[in-house]
Amino acid sequence: MARCFRFLFRFALVDLGIFAGVAAVIVAGAFVTDVPDGHTNLFSTYFDGFPALALLILFMMGFSLTSTLTLALNFGATRKALFGAVQGVLAVYAVGGWAISALFSAVPVWFSWPRQGAGSALLLNSGPAFLVAGAAAAVLGLLSGVSMSRSRVLGGILIAFAMIAMLVGVLWLVITGGTFSGGMWGSLPWLLPLALGVAAVIADVFLYRYLKRYVVR
């Protein structure tokens, strides 16, 4: 399993590097176009919408992992070892995505941006709740990818479901302020991450079945 993880980890580092690059471009573009002074443009939209954008990137990272799994199996990796290694890589995606997003969210604080949008909504990325949402996005992305390789119809349905789930995840972040506290929303802050967690577990079960039945060509 350790060899499988090292093999997949190299691709995970590339994906996280691209994620960090996207974040850096948005930050640089925001500074160049005077977004901190209140200018509204494409970069301000991406900046304020980074919680949703980050989850989408994590989803795509999980989706792209599908081809890497196929490559690993063709190179002789066992299904059991590969499944265990995938869990580690998905954890790397979630933690790495959370770390990048948390640094991104700290930019308005470090540079004392007066814009309330960037100073409040982006802080959602730095809480533990975002880590849960990011993990769910990566798992659903991988499930969508393996399903698409077997059936475009089923894959399309799962992608649509994943998009809805990620919108729900962002809504949850906004409602709870990136925490697990209930407040005026009662049990809702716990019910939404619970639903995402159940979806992630179901996705893992389908992934295991996919790897078990996969035929190396």
Side-chain angles (χ1 to χ4, degrees):
M1 186 174 71
R3 292 179 61 187
C4 289
F5 177 77
R6 288 195 297 269
F7 177 78
L8 297 177
F9 184 67
R10 291 180 292 178
F11 294 92
L13 286 180
V14 173
D15 290 339
L16 288 173
I18 295 173
F19 190 172
V22 171
V25 168
I26 295 175
V27 171
F31 274 106
V32 171
T33 58
D34 296 324
V35 171
D37 294 332
H39 290 200
T40 302
N41 53 37
L42 182 64
F43 289 106
S44 67
T45 301
Y46 282 135
F47 217 108
D48 292 341
F50 198 78
L53 179 61
L55 291 182
L56 178 60
I57 292 175
L58 286 169
F59 174 84
M60 295 305 300
M61 287 165 60
F63 190 92
S64 67
L65 186 59
T66 306
S67 58
T68 311
L69 295 183
T70 304
L71 185 62
L73 288 172
N74 285 328
F75 279 164
T78 64
R79 290 160 176 77
K80 182 178 180 180
L82 187 58
F83 180 76
V86 166
Q87 308 309 305
V89 171
L90 289 173
V92 169
Y93 278 163
V95 174
W98 171 81
I100 294 170
S101 299
L103 290 173
F104 186 97
S105 304
V107 170
V109 178
W110 290 343
F111 295 95
S112 301
W113 286 24
R115 301 178 68 251
Q116 284 190 338
S120 57
L122 291 178
L123 294 179
L124 302 176
N125 290 333
S126 59
F130 185 83
L131 183 61
V132 177
V139 173
L140 289 173
L142 179 57
L143 177 61
S144 299
V146 297
S147 299
M148 182 68 75
S149 66
R150 301 188 64 177
S151 171
R152 291 188 178 275
V153 174
L154 177 60
I157 293 174
L158 285 174
I159 290 175
F161 169 77
M163 294 297 109
I164 295 174
M166 284 189 290
L167 288 175
V168 171
V170 174
L171 176 62
W172 162 51
L173 289 172
V174 172
I175 289 175
T176 63
T179 69
F180 291 105
S181 59
M184 64 177 293
W185 297 98
S187 300
L188 184 60
W190 279 108
L191 292 177
L192 289 177
L194 179 62
L196 291 174
V198 170
V201 171
I202 294 175
D204 246 0
V205 172
F206 276 97
L207 174 62
Y208 179 78
R209 291 171 61 86
Y210 167 80
L211 292 176
K212 186 176 181 179
R213 297 178 179 180
Y214 181 81
V215 178
V216 180
R217 294 179 175 84

